[in-house]
Amino acid sequence: MGLRQIIVPAMLAAALPGAGRAEQILSLSDAQKSDGTSFAEQLRSAPTGQIVLLNTFLVPEGEAEAFRQGWARAAEVLRRQPGFVSTTLHRPVGGARLWVNHAVWESASAFMAALASPDFKAAAASMRQTGFRRLYQAERTLRSAR
């Protein structure tokens, strides 16, 4: 698939601790250890229990509808896989082009099996946009005090 790379806008980079200049760009890559690990290493070392996948997609102007349709095809395949819990696609506001997917799986092994399915591979191959992805475990949830 090649190098998957997302360039986070300069304003975000400037807001990060240690970023001294607004012109600084943060580059994140699935294949390289741009944030300390690779996605493949995360999959291999994921702990047992529920995991959360967060992945971002930089969608070029004019391609939002095609991206939505591609995401929906892939999501429909994944929702039928064992271990799938949920997924939510978040669209950017204010003219931004960075979309976010939030998916929950019962385990990393269930997620890996789903990624390996021929149906998912076919659905994902139809998408032009590639994204940056990382796995997480939920630590704490705060709800409204109201």
Side-chain angles (χ1 to χ4, degrees):
M1 281 193 187
L3 179 65
R4 294 178 179 199
Q5 196 170 40
I6 293 295
I7 304 300
V8 179
M11 288 180 66
L12 177 58
L16 295 172
R21 300 174 356 154
E23 300 83 34
Q24 189 170 1
I25 302 289
L26 175 63
S27 176
L28 300 175
S29 163
D30 266 1
Q32 298 175 347
K33 297 181 180 183
S34 55
D35 69 337
T37 191
S38 70
F39 185 65
E41 287 173 341
Q42 280 197 300
L43 286 171
R44 283 192 298 272
S45 65
T48 59
Q50 197 173 69
I51 57 144
V52 174
L53 166 74
L54 294 177
N55 53 333
T56 59
F57 299 90
L58 189 60
V59 178
E61 191 172 333
E63 294 186 19
E65 188 53 36
F67 170 71
R68 259 191 220 98
Q69 290 173 9
W71 180 88
R73 280 191 301 275
E76 186 57 36
V77 169
L78 292 174
R79 74 186 287 256
R80 294 189 310 261
Q81 301 298 314
F84 175 85
V85 176
S86 67
T87 191
T88 305
L89 180 63
H90 301 269
R91 92 171 170 252
V93 297
R97 296 180 295 127
L98 192 63
W99 294 64
V100 176
N101 177 56
H102 172 266
V104 181
W105 287 84
E106 289 177 1
S107 67
S109 60
F111 176 59
M112 286 189 294
L115 291 182
S117 77
D119 288 344
F120 174 73
K121 286 180 180 182
S126 73
M127 294 179 68
R128 289 189 28 170
Q129 302 79 11
T130 59
F132 177 74
R133 55 198 172 169
R134 286 295 183 257
L135 297 177
Y136 299 88
Q137 281 194 306
E139 288 238 346
R140 186 171 177 202
T141 301
L142 294 177
R143 306 254 185 241
S144 173
R146 297 183 258 155

